[in-house]
Amino acid sequence: MNLNATIIGQIFAFFLFVWFCQKLVWPPIVKALEERQKKIADGLDAADRASRDLEQAQARAAELLKEAKANSAGIIDQANKRANQIIDEAKEKAREEGARIKAGAQAEIEQQINQAREQLRQQVAALAVAGAEKILERSVDQNAHAELLKKLAASL
Amino acid sequence: MAEHVTESTEAPAYATGGEYVQHHLGFLTYGKRPDGTWGIAHTEQEAADMGFWSIHLDTMGISLVLGLVFIGIFRSVAKKATSGVPGGLQNVIELLFDLVQSSLKTSFHGKTDYVAPLALTIFVWILFMNLMDLVPVDLIPLAAQAIAGDHHLYFKAVPTTDVNITIGMSLSVFILILYYSIKNKGVGGFLGELAFHPFGKAALPLNLVMEVPAFLAKPVSLALRLFGNLFAGEVIFLVIALLGYWQFPLHFAWAVFHLLVIPLQAYLFMMLTIVYLNQAHQHH
């Protein structure tokens, strides 16, 4: 076991390699490691935030859904009401129209009856005059007996 | 040994198993020969005679190559490091970063700008050097001998089985302990810690007797723990290599056991460095 200058050589080599390691090796790898640590931390943070956001979004969605349901129920209610109203209005209109048509028809019938009656009355008057003329065999002064004839016709 | 499987016709025949093991524990030493020329030692005695100003080309070279492999691999990953989904190699490296960072979190209280890359370098580099122990014991020496054309060449492939390498690392850590102690506590504070603890100012000599050896023992224990574990493992591998065909199951079994020791020793060296440097940052 000889002690010799190999010791000194090894000391120089030692400090040389430590220096190389400190300058060339350690910083880039530690930087990469720290960056990765930060990335992972950020990732976990983001995941936390995302899950919180998701919860909020779900709550908001549920709220919106509830609102929408309420809205739609209101709209359906309104629509039903409106439909009933329209049906009622239509019924009312139909009834009125029917009544109007009936009234018109009745008026016409009334008018025709009156017309027929008037005609009949005139004919009866003429017939009565003709008959009376024949019975009396003389001409009757129509003007003189107009009052009488009118009374006769009204009584028919 | 005649039945030694790694033996080829060109390789030197070892007279005894002891000689085989002994040869594999020699280093490729470069230094000043007795005749005044510089060159490679051919015997262990020659290597020992070169004294302090010689260098182990094998362990030093492999240590440098493995350090460069470490920096090369990690740099290539660092250049395309992504904060997105990491690829295969980046996954492995991030695992190591996590290991270092969690060790620092529990054991180090202070700025980690320098200590973190230091700990990573120590762990990975020592791990790589220890892993050389799992390369079959004769493979690299035989390759080196073939390349050099010298069948008697000494070549040791596992840097951490060279006490010079482990002392070099632990002395580096010791220099850092001294530097940070003085930087954080001042010279007075640092010496005061050695002199006035644990028994107060009245027992100054006793304090020094207790604290100074404890302080100096840090780099020694750090170096010898790593060296001892790996050296022992290496010797066992070498002894197993002497057993003919029985070496295959035994090598496997010992390698499996050693698979625990290799990362454990690298981790221990790193952990103790962190703890020592933490003490250098703490005021008592």
Side-chain angles (χ1 to χ4, degrees):
Chain A
M1 196 169 87
N2 312 321
L3 292 181
N4 61 26
T6 309
I7 294 174
I8 296 170
Q10 182 70 6
I11 289 175
F12 278 112
F14 181 90
F15 284 109
L16 187 72
F17 287 134
V18 172
W19 185 69
F20 278 164
C21 180
Q22 188 201 5
K23 291 287 165 214
L24 301 175
V25 172
W26 191 264
I29 291 178
V30 161
K31 205 178 126 230
L33 285 174
E34 274 167 5
E35 258 170 36
R36 181 168 330 125
Q37 249 168 8
K38 201 174 159 292
K39 263 191 203 170
I40 291 170
D42 287 355
L44 290 176
D45 235 32
D48 267 358
R49 223 174 316 122
S51 73
R52 252 200 323 272
D53 285 358
L54 180 66
E55 240 168 65
Q56 273 175 356
Q58 271 169 345
R60 175 107 187 88
E63 205 178 297
L64 282 177
L65 203 63
K66 217 164 74 183
E67 227 171 80
K69 265 184 191 158
N71 267 351
S72 65
I75 289 171
I76 289 172
D77 251 20
Q78 247 175 358
N80 275 342
K81 239 185 257 168
R82 178 89 187 107
N84 283 341
Q85 205 180 346
I86 287 172
I87 290 170
D88 283 352
E89 271 173 21
K91 270 185 191 159
E92 191 60 34
K93 235 185 230 169
R95 204 179 291 125
E96 274 171 17
E97 185 70 14
R100 202 172 53 76
I101 290 171
K102 212 167 97 185
Q106 235 152 15
E108 203 171 331
I109 291 168
E110 203 93 10
Q111 199 186 351
Q112 278 183 355
I113 290 174
N114 281 345
Q115 233 172 358
R117 215 180 251 162
E118 199 61 37
Q119 261 176 349
L120 199 61
R121 215 179 267 145
Q122 279 168 3
Q123 278 175 0
V124 166
L127 207 61
V129 171
E133 266 179 357
K134 267 195 183 141
I135 295 166
L136 296 177
E137 286 188 341
R138 62 169 180 107
S139 104
V140 176
D141 181 6
Q142 275 196 348
N143 288 332
H145 302 288
E147 191 73 19
L148 189 73
L149 286 173
K150 229 181 239 171
K151 262 184 203 162
L152 186 71
S155 74
L156 282 171
Chain B
M1 289 194 102
E3 75 270 28
H4 183 243
V5 288
T6 56
E7 196 177 359
S8 70
T9 51
E10 299 146 30
Y14 300 106
T16 62
E19 206 173 291
Y20 168 82
V21 172
Q22 192 65 36
H23 188 264
H24 278 75
L25 294 178
F27 294 99
L28 181 63
T29 314
Y30 180 88
K32 199 176 181 183
R33 294 205 193 89
D35 60 10
T37 59
W38 288 77
I40 289 163
H42 293 292
T43 65
E44 285 183 53
Q45 187 53 47
E46 215 177 300
D49 290 340
M50 284 173 172
F52 184 78
W53 291 108
S54 58
I55 193 161
H56 293 156
L57 294 179
D58 45 3
T59 49
M60 188 74 246
I62 288 180
S63 157
L64 285 175
V65 167
L66 292 175
L68 287 174
V69 166
F70 155 61
I71 293 293
I73 292 174
F74 278 59
R75 176 63 188 162
S76 75
V77 169
K79 259 196 244 169
K80 46 182 198 265
T82 165
S83 60
V85 180
L89 197 53
Q90 196 187 335
N91 259 326
V92 176
I93 285 175
E94 284 183 7
L95 218 65
L96 292 173
F97 270 65
D98 275 350
L99 174 78
V100 170
Q101 284 181 324
S102 64
S103 302
L104 284 171
K105 202 171 279 172
T106 52
S107 307
F108 191 83
H109 314 287
K111 272 177 64 113
T112 60
D113 296 2
Y114 189 77
V115 181
L118 173 82
L120 180 73
T121 307
I122 287 176
F123 181 72
V124 180
W125 196 14
I126 293 180
L127 183 69
F128 281 5
M129 291 198 278
N130 290 355
L131 279 171
M132 296 301 287
D133 218 3
L134 294 181
V135 177
V137 281
D138 270 313
L139 195 66
I140 294 173
L142 282 179
Q145 286 163 1
I147 289 164
D150 173 3
H151 296 301
H152 194 67
L153 193 76
Y154 291 105
F155 199 93
K156 210 166 174 189
V158 188
T160 38
T161 59
D162 179 359
V163 76
N164 290 291
I165 295 291
T166 62
I167 287 178
M169 311 226 20
S170 73
L171 275 184
S172 307
V173 172
F174 188 66
I175 290 167
L176 288 172
I177 294 172
L178 278 177
Y179 171 74
Y180 280 113
S181 292
I182 290 169
K183 187 182 165 202
N184 291 314
K185 303 166 187 171
V187 178
F190 170 58
L191 292 179
E193 240 170 49
L194 292 179
F196 304 139
H197 289 95
F199 296 123
K201 285 181 186 178
L204 189 139
L206 185 60
N207 287 338
L208 281 177
V209 165
M210 288 188 69
E211 290 288 314
V212 172
F215 183 66
L216 295 179
K218 283 177 184 173
V220 176
S221 69
L222 208 51
L224 292 185
R225 181 182 301 107
L226 179 59
F227 166 72
N229 275 282
L230 271 291
F231 185 79
E234 176 84 346
V235 170
I236 302 281
F237 273 124
L238 288 169
V239 170
I240 289 172
L242 292 169
L243 297 178
Y245 290 105
W246 279 107
Q247 68 176 289
F248 293 115
L250 285 171
H251 266 317
F252 178 75
W254 182 241
V256 168
F257 175 74
H258 220 52
L259 216 49
L260 297 172
V261 174
I262 285 167
L264 179 69
Q265 288 304 320
Y267 180 75
L268 264 181
F269 201 108
M270 175 191 82
M271 211 53 222
L272 286 171
T273 303
I274 291 171
V275 169
Y276 291 158
L277 287 179
N278 186 47
Q279 287 170 356
H281 280 77
Q282 301 300 308
H283 292 266
H284 286 283

